[in-house]
Amino acid sequence: MIRVDNLTMRFGGIRAIDDCSLNFAAGRITGLIGPNGAGKSTLFDVVAGGLVPTAGTVRLEGEDVTRLPAFARYRRGLHRTFQIAREFARLTVRENLMVAARGQSGEALAAALFKPGHVREEERAHRERACEVMDFLALTPLADAPAGTLSGGQKKLLELGRALMSPARIILLDEIGAGVNPTLLAQIAGHIRMLNEEGMTFAVIEHDMDFIAGLCDPVIVMAEGRVLVQGPMAEVRADRAVVEAYFGSAA
Ligand code: ADP
Ligand code: MG
């Protein structure tokens, strides 16, 4: 579904991504792990269109999208979440979901003000979809709560919900589990698995190895902007280079 070839992303003297090639296969939940600074979030930025790489190509279902803006990739079904959730604190959970859906329709001001039929129709569709998404994520009791009052874990759920409001067929999740309690994390894993069974493709950056082990196949280990190893979690865990990347050569 996503394929990057010989990707390099330089920031001044730093090579955040260094001649990296990998792919996220359709129908899979691919795990992306590696020490801090390995280039994982930067890779997501380049794949989603937030950054234009110094060199290399990004393909989405075979199409070269390296120079396509983020919104064009979004319309083609690619959605990413951010390590720091970007919800609107004063809007309610329901409003946050509806805004996420609206982001894509390129709504003109005049249309928003005068609400011709098709705009009203679209708004009703978004409202219905928001209800379904809240049901699915068990967020319905929080529908009218301002997003700023949610717990860290609930914000992550909302972040996933915003992805589900988009026309996504592949979702890139950047540390959706960070700061989330184990119960909620298990719930999030369940949601991801269920969505995957319905055909959604995922790429997941996460530090929690049990979360990755229970969810992802294959797992790609990045270090210093490159792919160190990839394969099923059991193989990756046993790999000497991986152990060294995480714990230093003393291990
Ligand atoms: P990870 O997500 O694996 O922890 P990042 O992709 O965030 O790693 O960072 C990879 C490297 O690129 C780090 O050395 C980081 O400091 C650097 N980096 C990331 N974004 C920028 C930026 N916008 N400007 C300069 N350096 C950056
Ligand atoms: Mg990161």
Side-chain angles (χ1 to χ4, degrees), residues 120-197:
R120 253 179 286 136
E121 186 51 44
E122 194 180 73
E123 197 170 284
R124 200 178 55 208
H126 291 166
R127 187 171 291 277
E128 271 171 27
R129 177 69 187 145
C131 285
E132 287 170 15
V133 167
M134 287 188 294
D135 263 355
F136 174 65
L137 297 176
L139 281 172
T140 307
L142 295 168
D144 299 312
T149 65
L150 302 184
S151 74
Q154 290 165 337
K155 283 181 184 168
K156 296 289 188 168
L157 266 181
L158 179 55
E159 191 72 8
L160 182 57
R162 287 167 58 84
L164 299 181
M165 294 299 292
S166 79
R169 285 175 299 118
I170 173 163
I171 302 180
L172 313 179
L173 298 174
D174 196 348
E175 297 197 23
I176 193 126
V180 176
N181 75 55
T183 313
L184 202 47
L185 190 58
Q187 261 178 47
I188 290 176
H191 295 317
I192 294 172
R193 202 171 291 117
M194 211 181 291
L195 290 164
N196 176 249
E197 278 161 16

